[in-house]
Amino acid sequence: MAVRLMVVDDHRLLAEALASALRLRGHRVLAAAAPSAGAAELVVSRAPEVCLWGTSTPAEPGAFEPVRRIKAERPQVAVVVLGPVPSPRGIAAAFAAGASGYVRQDERIDGVERAMTKARAGEAAVAPQLLQGAFAELLNPAAQPDDEGARLLQLLTPREVEVLVRVAEGEDTRRIAAGMGIAPSTARTHVQRVLMKLGVGSRLEAAALSARTGLLDRAARSASSAPSVPPGQV
């Protein structure tokens, strides 16, 4: 059965891609937007059955204040959080704010659909393995969590970092080549190397992995601070 929903995510590219995929499956997507001062207001005004709310920082203080406001003003809206591999604090904060579910950002579209359906029916939509992982972390906390974003960033050259940022911003090969002053064939090679080093099969997967691990923010900072390379040099 089709669901009336809205998709909100930290990264507009991911929000629009997910919205398009759900439309193809027959769901009615009212809007797809990046979180901003007006995102919660938009959800409140449109009052969908389900809101998919994406965040890359679920454990940060105040991350779910917009969710709290949505539930206060539109309690009938079921909010399902799309986030990275969660810490116990992240899951707890999401449900404390009134969320009906928590789904990993790299979940398959079938899993997202199941979570939407359960949330609309008033059930808690969270995968058992996420709860098991959260309890395991509570019982055996890591002394120093691995920084996956930093590790992945070290695999990329400065040029590949710039390419990753442009890919995440939705640029195609032609625009990447023009923006970097290189040939389209060279830009295509850079993109393929980025996908290979990240271990993903598509640009969308690269953008999702970058958002989930914090690699995108690190890459953007690295690209902005890197010395410029004259056009035509690779």
Side-chain angles (χ1 to χ4, degrees):
M1 185 180 296
V3 177
R4 292 176 58 253
L5 71 140
M6 290 181 63
V7 181
V8 181
D9 198 279
D10 288 337
H11 300 286
R12 186 174 296 276
L13 174 65
L14 301 184
E16 293 176 350
L18 180 56
S20 296
L22 291 170
R23 286 192 185 100
L24 289 175
R25 288 174 170 257
H27 299 290
R28 183 183 175 191
V29 184
L30 303 179
S36 65
E41 288 85 344
L42 184 60
V43 176
V44 169
S45 66
R46 301 299 296 273
E49 293 177 299
V50 176
C51 172
L52 297 179
W53 188 279
T55 178
S56 59
T57 56
E60 284 193 1
F64 298 114
E65 282 307 310
V67 176
R68 195 181 305 280
R69 180 186 169 189
I70 291 168
K71 295 301 294 183
E73 299 192 30
R74 295 286 187 179
Q76 74 276 20
V77 175
V79 180
V80 176
V81 173
L82 302 177
V85 179
S87 66
R89 183 183 301 175
I91 289 183
F95 280 92
S100 300
Y102 193 110
V103 179
R104 284 177 46 160
Q105 286 172 326
D106 58 356
E107 177 64 77
R108 294 179 179 275
I109 192 68
D110 291 343
V112 176
E113 244 184 338
R114 285 193 296 271
M116 288 163 39
T117 302
K118 291 183 69 174
R120 185 179 63 172
E123 302 176 36
V126 57
Q129 59 267 32
L130 288 186
L131 289 178
Q132 291 168 2
F135 282 121
E137 185 176 333
L138 284 172
L139 294 173
N140 302 287
Q144 186 173 2
D146 178 43
D147 190 335
E148 184 71 1
R151 185 187 70 79
L152 292 173
L153 184 61
Q154 292 178 351
L155 300 177
L156 306 177
T157 67
R159 293 294 264 174
E160 289 166 351
V161 169
E162 182 179 354
V163 168
L164 176 61
V165 173
R166 292 177 179 274
V167 165
E169 290 175 348
E171 293 189 10
D172 57 19
T173 301
R174 179 182 57 79
R175 291 182 61 191
I176 292 173
M180 297 179 66
I182 58 179
S185 59
T186 303
R188 190 173 301 109
T189 298
H190 279 313
V191 171
Q192 290 303 315
R193 285 177 179 169
V194 169
L195 300 185
M196 180 184 67
K197 288 183 177 181
L198 296 183
V200 297
S202 69
R203 298 178 183 217
L204 181 58
E205 287 182 87
L209 176 65
S210 299
R212 176 170 60 82
T213 62
L215 173 60
L216 188 58
D217 293 333
R218 289 177 176 273
R221 290 196 298 269
S222 177
S224 65
S225 62
S228 60
V229 179
Q233 295 187 18
V234 299

